[in-house]
């Protein structure tokens, strides 16, 4: 058995299957069935970040002529197989966080004001702690079984936007509340918000 | 020559329904085997707009914005994120054709008619085409008015008016704008998301598909973007792209 991120890949007598956790529910061998199954976590919360740890468990799907292995994997982790192949052959186009924040406009333009320390912290809070993808754009080196991430995603940009605002008026930190949605960074209790604010306070105290 | 279709949409960090129609129409078109590849790219979800063409080897790529109007996203965000330089971009020998948004195609008026009829609108009724609108981009409202005009020209309903969520004429005053005893509201939105599912019904005090109000009947249809026939509008849009 091998794996990628949080999914397992098995090749047994009846053919290749992928799944997460115990193989209880067998999904139809279609991309939409997999996509729908991983859209929410086991608590029913929407997962806007495909690489976020905590895939819903208890399902598996049989690979078939209509559902190639790469398509099944990409239904869980979009572009994962493409980026793995491009990383292996040295053609992966890598874009830095600075470039991504500098090109933002409208609501997200303010994200480019985020300090260097703040940029390191959002990466640490989201990419290092939450996501299975390995941020090549931050200089990390993916192993052979890892999924390389070539460019900061929109969730990171949204967190950077809020962090830039927090740097001008530091909000009061509260206890993390898992009932607050994953990406509602402007709401007290959001787990990533409270993690960021706690870490920022620690770093400020140390300096 | 190989061809790829890329549907690009907004997506959401908060609402799982936002990108559902984009994925579903892509699945429908993929099943018809008209293109070598059918992909989805999203501003707020994955695959992102900036990476959706990674690994795409088709000679010709059609990028269709799944937006209702020409505006900030179609004019600024999508081209910037995808590195598009105009209606045609040639990159590493690949020809990328950027179409107008699906919402501006004339055939969308047929979808509005279908949505209105699905909830019971008839020849004696008023149809209210409800767009988002914005005070920031005047192009946004033009298409809502144009779609209302196209539906009106078909002479299928007694009255057809355009109203907006975020500008005048406001949806809150829609019953003052029409005289018919039965009024059908058709949301000119892509997704059954936050606005269609929550803010509009709340603001209009709608109780479901049908609501009685001051002796009148208000019907509320699904959004145009989730209608199955939108896949055909997408294909008509692509077929209308001039070659060369």
């Amino acid at each position: 058995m091998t794996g990628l991120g949080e999914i397992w890949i098995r090749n047994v007598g009846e053919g290749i299957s992928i799944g997460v956790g115990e193989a209880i529910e067998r999904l139809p061998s279609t991309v939409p069935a997999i996509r729908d199954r991983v859209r929410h976590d086991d608590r029913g919360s929407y997962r806007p970040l495909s690489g976020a740890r905590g895939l819903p468990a208890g399902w598996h799907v049989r690979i078939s002529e209509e559902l190639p292995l790469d398509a099944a994997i990409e239904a869980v982790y979009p572009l994962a197989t493409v980026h793995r192949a491009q990383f292996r052959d040295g053609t992966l186009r890598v874009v830095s966080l600075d470039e991504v924040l500098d090109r933002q406009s409208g609501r997200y333009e303010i994200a480019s004001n985020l300090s260097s320390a703040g940029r390191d912290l959002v990466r640490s809070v989201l990419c290092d702690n939450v996501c299975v993808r390995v941020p090549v754009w931050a200089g990390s080196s993916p192993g052979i079984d890892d999924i390389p991430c070539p460019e900061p995603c929109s969730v990171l940009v949204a967190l950077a936007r809020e962090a830039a605002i927090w740097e001008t008026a530091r909000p009061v930190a509260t206890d993390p509340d898992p009932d607050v949605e994953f990406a509602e960074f402007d709401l007290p209790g959001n787990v990533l918000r409270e993690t960021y604010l706690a870490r920022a306070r620690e770093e400020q105290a140390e300096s | 020559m190989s061809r790829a279709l890329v549907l690009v949409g907004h997506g959401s960090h908060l609402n799982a329904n936002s990108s559902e129609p984009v994925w579903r129409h892509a699945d429908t078109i993929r099943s018809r085997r008209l293109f070598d590849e059918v992909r989805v790219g999203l501003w707020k979800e994955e695959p992102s707009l900036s990476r959706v063409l990674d690994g795409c080897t088709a000679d010709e790529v059609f990028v269709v914005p799944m937006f209702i109007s020409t505006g900030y996203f179609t004019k600024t965000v999508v081209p910037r994120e995808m590195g598009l330089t105009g209606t045609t971009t040639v990159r590493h020998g690949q020809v990328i054709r950027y179409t107008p948004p699906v919402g501006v195609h004339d055939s969308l008026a047929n979808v509005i008619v279908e949505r209105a009829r699905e909830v019971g609108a008839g020849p004696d009724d008023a149809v209210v085409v409800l767009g988002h609108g914005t005070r920031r981009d005047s192009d946004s409202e033009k298409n809502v008015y144009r779609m209302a005009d196209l539906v009106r020209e078909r002479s299928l309903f007694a009255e057809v008016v355009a109203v907006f969520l975020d500008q005048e004429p406001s949806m809150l005053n829609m019953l003052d704008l029409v005289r018919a005893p039965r009024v059908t509201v058709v949301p000119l939105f892509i997704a059954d998301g936050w606005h269609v599912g929550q803010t509009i019904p709340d603001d209009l005090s709608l109780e479901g598909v049908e609501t009685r109000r001051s002796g009148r009947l208000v019907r509320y249809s699904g959004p145009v973007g989730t209608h199955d026939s939108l896949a055909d509008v997408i294909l008509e849009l692509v077929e209308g792209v001039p070659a060369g």
Side-chain angles (χ1 to χ4, degrees):
Chain A
M1 185 169 79
T2 58
L4 190 65
E6 292 186 319
I7 58 178
W8 50 252
I9 303 167
R10 287 180 190 149
N11 189 357
V12 289
E14 53 196 9
I16 301 174
S17 294
I18 74 163
V20 177
E22 279 190 76
I24 300 168
E25 178 193 6
R26 180 174 165 181
L27 303 180
S29 291
T30 68
V31 165
I34 303 172
R35 201 170 55 226
D36 289 348
R37 190 67 179 79
V38 299
R39 198 96 172 118
H40 296 85
D41 64 19
D42 281 330
R43 300 176 70 248
S45 295
Y46 170 47
R47 302 176 65 253
L49 180 68
S50 72
R53 296 177 204 284
L55 276 172
W59 61 270
H60 65 120
V61 65
R62 184 85 52 81
I63 300 306
S64 66
E65 197 173 328
E66 291 74 32
L67 181 67
L69 179 59
D70 282 3
I73 291 171
E74 300 239 331
V76 180
Y77 298 123
L79 293 176
T81 61
V82 171
H83 290 157
R84 277 163 56 87
Q86 291 182 338
F87 183 78
R88 274 197 304 268
D89 65 20
T91 61
L92 185 65
R93 177 173 59 90
V94 177
V95 181
S96 71
L97 179 59
D98 291 349
E99 289 174 76
V100 170
L101 296 187
D102 284 348
R103 75 178 187 228
Q104 298 304 310
S105 59
R107 173 179 168 79
Y108 295 101
E109 191 171 353
I110 193 174
S112 64
N113 292 345
L114 186 63
S115 67
S116 177
R119 292 175 192 219
D120 289 344
L121 194 47
V122 289
R123 190 212 70 237
S124 173
V125 166
L126 183 67
C127 308
D128 298 349
N129 290 354
V130 172
C131 191
V132 300
R133 297 182 198 250
V134 176
V136 176
W137 55 264
S140 300
S141 299
I144 194 157
D145 292 328
D146 289 330
I147 305 169
C149 174
E151 180 171 347
C153 65
S154 69
V155 175
L156 188 64
V157 172
L159 181 60
R161 175 190 186 271
E162 297 304 317
I165 295 168
W166 298 333
E167 283 187 341
T168 61
R170 181 83 70 198
V172 177
T174 63
D175 291 334
D177 176 359
D179 287 337
V180 177
E181 292 289 328
F182 178 87
E184 281 189 308
F185 303 132
D186 56 338
L187 285 191
N190 174 273
V191 173
L192 290 170
R193 166 197 164 103
E194 301 308 338
T195 304
Y196 179 94
L197 292 175
R199 293 268 305 275
R201 200 167 50 239
E202 285 168 16
E203 289 183 9
Q204 199 171 24
E206 285 169 9
S207 64
Chain B
M1 184 160 75
S2 56
R3 302 195 315 162
L5 174 67
V6 182
L7 304 185
V8 295
H10 192 285
S12 171
H13 291 159
L14 303 175
N15 191 317
N17 288 339
S18 175
S19 60
E20 187 276 337
V22 186
W23 286 109
R24 188 158 49 81
H25 296 312
D27 292 337
T28 299
I29 294 170
R30 188 179 299 112
S31 72
R32 297 182 190 176
R33 301 181 188 279
L34 299 169
F35 297 87
D36 298 279
E37 270 192 87
V38 178
R39 294 186 175 209
V40 165
L42 298 162
W43 170 228
K44 292 292 197 81
E45 297 175 42
E46 300 155 71
S48 67
L49 298 174
S50 58
R51 310 302 305 203
V52 65
L53 292 180
D54 286 3
C56 179
T57 56
D59 300 308
E60 189 173 32
V61 179
F62 295 89
V63 177
V64 178
M66 296 292 286
F67 290 86
I68 289 298
S69 297
T70 302
Y72 172 63
F73 286 102
T74 62
K75 288 190 285 194
T76 302
V77 174
V78 174
R80 180 192 71 211
E81 294 293 310
M82 296 188 70
L84 307 180
T85 54
T87 53
T88 301
T89 302
V90 180
R91 190 159 59 216
H92 309 305
Q94 187 175 58
V95 179
I96 305 168
R97 302 197 188 281
Y98 186 45
T99 76
V102 66
V104 306
H105 195 279
D106 287 358
S107 296
L108 193 74
N110 299 331
V111 183
I112 297 172
V113 170
E114 287 181 53
R115 275 293 188 223
R117 284 176 161 168
E118 278 172 1
V119 292
D124 298 330
D125 300 346
V127 168
V128 173
V129 178
L130 169 54
H132 189 292
T134 171
R135 298 174 190 89
R136 289 174 298 182
D137 191 331
S138 60
D139 277 355
S140 175
E141 68 172 29
K142 286 179 189 165
N143 191 51
V144 182
Y145 283 119
R146 197 171 134 269
M147 284 298 150
D149 290 344
L150 288 171
V151 174
R152 191 180 303 111
E153 285 167 11
R154 285 161 167 74
S155 302
L156 298 168
F157 307 107
E159 299 166 85
V160 180
V161 297
V163 299
F164 298 92
L165 177 77
D166 202 25
Q167 68 176 69
E168 296 296 330
S170 167
M171 63 179 183
L172 300 176
N173 303 321
M174 66 179 187
L175 293 184
D176 298 332
L177 302 175
V178 293
R179 286 169 298 178
R182 291 181 300 274
V183 179
T184 297
V185 181
V186 180
L188 204 55
F189 286 71
I190 292 293
D192 197 357
W194 185 53
H195 286 312
V196 172
Q198 193 171 327
T199 66
I200 294 169
D202 285 354
D203 291 348
L204 296 178
S205 301
L206 300 179
E207 295 157 4
V209 175
E210 294 192 345
T211 303
R212 296 274 168 193
R213 176 82 38 79
S214 309
R216 298 163 91 180
L217 177 66
V218 178
R219 296 183 173 114
Y220 185 52
S221 85
V224 291
T226 60
H227 198 282
D228 287 347
S229 64
L230 201 74
D232 299 315
V233 179
I234 294 165
L235 292 173
E236 284 184 48
L237 190 62
V238 170
E239 285 162 12
V241 172

